[in-house]
Amino acid sequence: MAPPAIIAPSILSADFAQLGQDCARTMEQGADWLHVDIMDGHFVPNITFGAPVVAKIRSHVDKPTVAHGRGTFDCHMMIAEPKKWVKEFKKAGCDLYCFHYEAAFSTAAESPEETSDKKTSPKELIRYIHDNGLLAGIAIKPDTSVDVLWDILDATDPKEKPDMVLVMTVHPGFGGQKFMASELPKVQALRAKYPELNIEVDGGLGPGTIDQAADAGANVIVAGSAVFGAKDPSEVISLLRKSVDSRAGRL
Ligand SMILES: O=C(CO)[C@H](O)[C@H](O)COP(=O)(O)O
């Protein structure tokens, strides 16, 4: 059976002038995780915020008591040099550090102050994230084939295996874009091979698109505009959860 639904509202659609309160309210409305979009203006053509802001909002939401538990900060690192920021985000209160495969061969520098000629690789980066006490996620953009993930998911050393895969259903950079159903065969292929893997989808998810994503096998659902723009966010969160859990035979 696929793992239970995890609903992770993307705070990209929150009111940044009252981010802490918006995050706390979303949790009260039934969210499991918060999806925290970090954009650096290089890897994607947009800039959001960094570790100091994550540290501030962390104080508004209780830390999870178990891995993958309620209150998990699922930090989606849309940044060009993911290894550089692992320690900073751990300190800030991130729980799950999800980097992009497309950025994973960048510099091996381990802090913003450091430079390095060495390059890292996805498996090395996952090991490094785990060694720093975080869960590790790996994300792929719409133009990236799911085939790049098999070798990583089949890593024999558990330290090099990701805890979650994120399949982007929009081109990363902005909220409120149209859902790309063309990405769902990637989710189907992942679910067929890994029944227990946490598979996250992100971009354009809401009441009108959730059934397709749930049918494909996604269980971690990111929704920004659909949740923060809803008249009744609790109702939307509950609808997303039901769609996933009923398809997984949990209801
Ligand atoms: O990663 C993202 C953009 O790069 C956002 O998380 C995503 O697009 C969510 O927004 P929405 O649900 O409004 O599409």
Side-chain angles (χ1 to χ4, degrees), residues 148-211:
V148 302
L149 296 176
W150 305 133
D151 173 60
I152 301 165
L153 284 161
D154 290 337
T156 43
D157 185 341
K159 282 245 171 184
E160 296 185 341
K161 249 191 222 277
D163 302 289
M164 184 186 80
V165 168
L166 163 53
V167 175
M168 289 303 297
T169 46
V170 295
H171 291 286
F174 300 92
Q177 301 183 71
K178 193 172 178 297
F179 176 72
M180 295 169 71
S182 57
E183 301 313 292
L184 293 179
K186 296 179 185 174
V187 176
Q188 276 163 350
L190 286 161
R191 180 58 72 218
K193 208 158 176 242
Y194 305 100
E196 292 182 4
L197 179 66
N198 276 319
I199 304 175
E200 182 173 63
V201 280
D202 178 11
L205 271 307
T209 50
I210 184 62
D211 287 352

Side-chain angles (χ1 to χ4, degrees), residues 10 12 35 37 39 76 78 168 170 172-176 202-204 222-225:
S10 159
L12 190 57
H35 184 82
D37 284 306
M39 304 185 187
H76 178 191
M78 288 168 270
M168 289 303 297
V170 295
F174 300 92
D202 178 11
V222 176
S225 37

Side-chain angles (χ1 to χ4, degrees), residues 7 18 35 42 67 81 126 164 169 177 187 209 244-246:
I7 310 302
Q18 45 174 1
H35 184 82
H42 293 280
E81 293 182 85
I126 291 166
M164 184 186 80
T169 46
Q177 301 183 71
V187 176
T209 50
V244 172
D245 282 340
S246 61

